Amino acid sequence: MAVAPSTPLTGSIDLLGKDLAQVALEIALPTPPITPSVDTTFLPPVDAEKKVHSRLLSDNELSYFLPSRAEGVNDMYVHHRLIVDAHIVDTERIAAIWAYLMVKNPLLGASVRFESYERVHFEYGTPRSVDEAIEHAQSRLKIVTAAGVDVIDDYLNGPRSLSNNVLAQLVVYIPPDVTNKEAKLEFMLCTSHFIGDGMALHTFMNEFYTLLGSDKTIADTRGLLDRELRSDHGLPPSVESRYPQRTPLAKLVGKVDNELNDARQYGKQTFPRSNAGLPRHTIVPTPSYSPADTKQILARCKAHGVTITHVMFALSNLAWQRQSSAPEPSMIYSAANMRPHMLPAKDASYFHLAVGYFNIILPNLRVPAISETDLFWHRARMTKAQTVKALKSTFAVSRSRETNKVRCERALTFARLDDGVPIPESRPKASVVEMPPGNSQKALMGVSMLGNLDGMYKHADFSAIRLQSLTTGSRQRQGGLLLFAYTFAGKLWTSLGYDENGFEKSVVERFWDDFQALVQELLLADA
């Protein structure tokens, strides 16, 4: 696949300070994408005059880093289409805001140093001046101007944009027909998953748009950047280090509970894989529902004592059941925000990884005596009960700790296998749970519920910017499939990101058609 023409701002000062129309007209020649080597060699020494912050990756961070090394598996993005008053935006101003927020959130400007499989370090050298900070940010800012470019497709299916040296990148798409009055632009924040999560992405973009839509000049933003450099907060601690400390007995109880909980996980439904041997190609169909339809959907959920989160699992379950006659249950994996369980850390950045994991297990049985509508609401309530049990459990933190250890051990095992490196006999087993005979822990798919994003994006704080759409997801491994659902700009959005070459195409397409049909039949049809 040909990569769309693009121009990284890597110190090209002649581009800075020009309005959008000028940039769109003047940038014409493609340059190589900023895709540094992703091998695991040591980084060059950091300038000795810089103040360098360093810490080891935690278990959860390492479980995301190791699989990402070659193809960027799980590299995240959030993409917005927006309409702006063009006079408030120029490339120098974008670069200054990006630089300020990178310094405020150091993992965005950090790099990774590989010492050994178990010992991988974040390293961040605090810029010594405002100009150095902006230059550093420019090397991670890409302006795309060619007509008809799909920046999401390039990111998901093209060469990897990120690397051990570049953990984050801001992409700005400026179409050639930009005027000086109003501009339809696209902004996309791309980061490695081991430095953050969905909460971090959206919190960052809200702050970015608040600054971009404000009346702060470039000089004002440079002043903010200067003050932030003087603060020099350093790297945020990992989520594991901010959990409450445990006694030895509590550690033992938590370990036993996690093993018992793992043994209870059961699922045997999977989408049939393709045998065509085609390369991975991720697509992200993202239908939305009008504000009026969204209000009706949310009201109907409330009337049945559930939320849109619970409904998305039930819809996935029933959409799959329409084409699968197998009686075994479906297991759907999901993630939880662990920030409420963390101890406070003074001046710590919000941009870090803080997710836990849980599964929802739903029957796949048809019950002739029960209507599909009644079955749907029953399974939504089942999802609610399981979600509450998982998230409100006394053992939520200990399960997170133990699950992170298991995920890390598995990532270490597969990393060595991928690299052809022998697994030391002293290493723990990759899986600590002995499955009963015949037990299966196959997941049908993943569902990621982002909630009401209008509660995170304070649209009134940047009235000169009109956000039109939001799409989010990640670079996937072959055969990946993940559903996102959220409300944004007053609309409900459902986004299915999947490898269209990794599955039997007709099966996934039918599932998605049935999913949307169920929304109409169960949530929008007259009661």
Side-chain angles (χ1 to χ4, degrees):
M1 179 186 123
V3 178
S6 62
T7 300
L9 285 182
T10 53
S12 301
I13 304 301
D14 58 302
L15 292 179
L16 300 180
K18 298 182 178 180
D19 63 44
L20 299 180
Q22 285 178 295
V23 174
L25 289 172
E26 292 180 19
I27 301 178
L29 296 177
T31 59
I34 54 172
T35 311
S37 171
V38 295
D39 64 13
T40 56
T41 56
F42 289 93
L43 297 175
V46 179
D47 191 324
E49 296 181 7
K50 281 191 175 183
K51 184 176 181 180
V52 179
H53 302 274
S54 178
R55 74 163 173 84
L56 288 170
L57 273 67
S58 69
D59 287 339
N60 206 19
E61 291 164 344
L62 199 57
S63 75
Y64 279 107
F65 166 73
L66 291 171
S68 76
R69 293 174 300 153
E71 295 295 329
V73 170
N74 289 318
D75 285 354
M76 306 184 297
Y77 76 94
V78 59
H79 171 275
H80 293 103
R81 298 183 191 275
L82 54 142
I83 300 174
V84 300
D85 297 338
H87 72 276
I88 71 168
V89 184
D90 65 49
T91 53
E92 184 178 3
R93 191 159 179 268
I94 292 171
I97 294 170
W98 176 224
Y100 164 66
L101 292 177
M102 282 183 65
V103 170
K104 188 176 179 181
N105 300 284
L107 283 176
L108 294 169
S111 57
V112 168
R113 179 168 64 84
F114 186 96
E115 179 183 345
S116 67
Y117 289 99
E118 290 83 5
R119 294 181 61 82
V120 181
H121 303 256
F122 285 125
E123 290 196 342
Y124 174 70
T126 304
R128 292 161 293 189
S129 67
V130 168
D131 287 338
E132 184 178 304
I134 291 176
E135 182 179 356
H136 182 64
Q138 288 169 6
S139 70
R140 288 153 174 78
L141 174 63
K142 184 165 73 170
I143 304 294
V144 181
T145 61
V149 174
D150 186 338
V151 294
I152 296 177
D153 182 71
D154 283 354
Y155 180 69
L156 293 179
N157 298 307
R160 189 187 184 196
S161 301
L162 307 178
S163 70
N164 286 1
N165 296 341
V166 178
L167 306 187
Q169 182 183 69
L170 182 66
V171 179
V172 184
Y173 178 48
I174 306 172
D177 58 353
V178 165
T179 70
N180 284 322
K181 292 183 179 180
E182 191 172 76
K184 294 182 179 179
L185 306 181
E186 298 176 33
F187 280 77
M188 183 167 72
L189 177 63
C190 311
T191 79
S192 304
H193 206 332
F194 53 87
I195 71 168
D197 51 31
M199 291 289 291
L201 287 177
H202 298 298
T203 303
F204 177 95
M205 290 308 295
N206 176 70
E207 188 171 8
F208 179 85
Y209 291 133
T210 300
L211 290 168
L212 187 64
S214 73
D215 58 2
K216 292 187 184 300
T217 65
I218 295 171
D220 293 334
T221 307
R222 288 175 64 92
L224 291 174
L225 175 53
D226 182 60
R227 287 191 290 276
E228 197 64 36
L229 285 170
R230 296 174 191 276
S231 300
D232 192 20
H233 304 305
L235 295 168
S238 68
V239 63
E240 290 94 332
S241 69
R242 290 177 60 181
Y243 285 150
Q245 295 299 310
R246 298 180 296 173
T247 65
L249 177 60
K251 290 180 182 180
L252 178 60
V253 172
K255 181 179 176 63
V256 172
D257 165 77
N258 192 63
E259 292 179 0
L260 293 173
N261 185 61
D262 277 353
R264 288 192 292 267
Q265 307 306 303
Y266 181 70
K268 212 169 183 178
Q269 301 288 336
T270 59
F271 285 91
R273 299 301 178 97
S274 169
N275 296 319
L278 297 174
R280 171 187 54 81
H281 188 267
T282 300
I283 60 174
V284 194
T286 308
S288 64
Y289 298 87
S290 70
D293 284 347
T294 297
K295 287 181 180 178
Q296 180 176 332
I297 290 169
L298 297 178
R300 193 158 289 183
C301 293
K302 184 176 181 180
H304 285 270
V306 296
T307 68
I308 192 64
T309 295
H310 311 130
V311 158
M312 287 297 140
F313 288 88
L315 286 170
S316 300
N317 172 247
L318 286 188
W320 173 247
Q321 185 176 291
R322 282 189 169 186
Q323 61 176 309
S324 171
S325 58
E328 293 85 3
S330 297
M331 184 166 72
I332 301 173
Y333 64 87
S334 193
N337 175 25
M338 298 303 291
R339 285 169 176 78
H341 300 281
M342 295 164 52
L343 297 173
K346 185 179 179 181
D347 296 330
S349 161
Y350 57 76
F351 211 106
H352 55 82
L353 178 64
V355 293
Y357 311 93
F358 66 99
N359 299 317
I360 297 297
I361 302 169
L362 297 172
N364 202 55
L365 294 171
R366 292 180 176 87
V367 185
I370 303 176
S371 70
E372 191 171 47
T373 299
D374 290 340
L375 195 62
F376 165 70
W377 291 115
H378 174 66
R379 290 186 182 171
R381 287 188 289 270
M382 287 181 67
T383 300
K384 178 181 179 179
Q386 292 181 43
T387 302
V388 170
K389 185 177 180 179
L391 301 187
K392 302 295 184 181
S393 171
T394 305
F395 296 102
V397 170
S398 62
R399 288 176 184 174
S400 174
R401 278 194 175 102
E402 297 302 324
T403 299
N404 290 350
K405 291 178 184 177
V406 174
R407 285 170 52 86
C408 183
E409 287 301 331
R410 289 174 179 166
L412 287 165
T413 297
F414 285 116
R416 287 186 167 93
L417 291 173
D418 289 343
D419 296 346
V421 175
I423 299 172
E425 293 184 3
S426 60
R427 294 301 307 168
K429 293 182 180 180
S431 176
V432 299
V433 181
E434 294 295 330
M435 290 293 102
N439 203 1
S440 170
Q441 292 191 343
K442 295 178 180 178
L444 175 69
M445 59 188 293
V447 172
S448 181
M449 294 301 305
L450 303 177
N452 178 20
L453 293 182
D454 286 329
M456 297 190 68
Y457 288 89
K458 309 301 182 184
H459 301 272
D461 292 345
F462 42 87
S463 58
I465 300 171
R466 282 83 75 196
L467 298 178
Q468 303 295 299
S469 68
L470 181 154
T471 306
T472 190
S474 61
R475 283 174 65 97
Q476 296 177 328
R477 57 173 47 88
Q478 280 193 311
L481 189 150
L482 182 60
L483 171 68
F484 288 88
Y486 45 92
T487 51
F488 178 74
K491 300 178 181 180
L492 171 65
W493 304 73
T494 54
S495 175
L496 186 69
Y498 69 99
D499 173 16
E500 65 175 345
N501 292 333
F503 302 96
E504 291 183 12
K505 191 171 183 179
S506 62
V507 175
V508 179
E509 289 178 347
R510 180 181 168 188
F511 166 83
W512 194 228
D513 288 344
D514 285 337
F515 183 96
Q516 294 172 80
L518 283 165
V519 172
Q520 296 294 329
E521 296 166 17
L522 301 174
L523 297 171
L524 290 173
D526 293 336

